[in-house]
Amino acid sequence: MSKSKTIRIITVGKPHSVFWKEAADHYIKKLSHWCAIEEIVVKDGSSSLPVAQRVNDECRRISAAMDPCDIAICLDERGDSLTSAAFAAFLES
């Protein structure tokens, strides 16, 4: 991956656990050797809202933070599992 490429990481809220914050920082540091990294944190939806409405609010904030040419890659524990090498190859392509 060329250093001129930028990976924009958009998250909903900040990690509440020190462990997850340190893990994210570790991977951002590793990625930054190969490309520019831009971190964007969008506000959590209100916990007083029904889940569907909260998700819709967060989705709108994520969409607003994206540029039209961005390609969204959503990370979810229920999604396809990739090895680190496979994910790196995916990002490279």
Side-chain angles (χ1 to χ4, degrees):
M1 186 176 297
S2 130
K3 188 72 170 177
S4 65
K5 300 281 184 187
T6 299
I7 293 179
R8 183 176 299 152
I9 299 174
I10 303 172
T11 60
V12 177
K14 294 186 179 189
H16 299 289
S17 160
V18 172
F19 171 82
W20 292 116
K21 174 65 175 141
E22 289 175 354
D25 289 344
H26 171 77
Y27 283 103
I28 288 168
K29 182 178 178 181
K30 286 173 109 25
L31 279 171
S32 67
H33 293 293
W34 289 280
C35 60
I37 302 294
E38 180 182 355
E39 294 179 79
I40 300 170
V41 178
V42 299
K43 183 181 171 192
D44 290 314
S46 172
S47 60
S48 66
L49 295 173
V51 172
Q53 188 174 349
R54 184 172 60 228
V55 169
N56 284 335
D57 287 352
E58 292 170 352
C59 182
R60 279 194 293 278
R61 289 185 189 103
I62 291 168
S63 295
M66 294 178 65
D67 286 340
C69 63
D70 286 344
I71 299 170
I73 300 170
C74 300
L75 303 180
D76 186 296
E77 70 260 7
R78 296 165 296 201
D80 293 337
S81 293
L82 298 175
T83 65
S84 294
F87 189 58
F90 172 78
L91 290 176
E92 182 108 21
S93 67

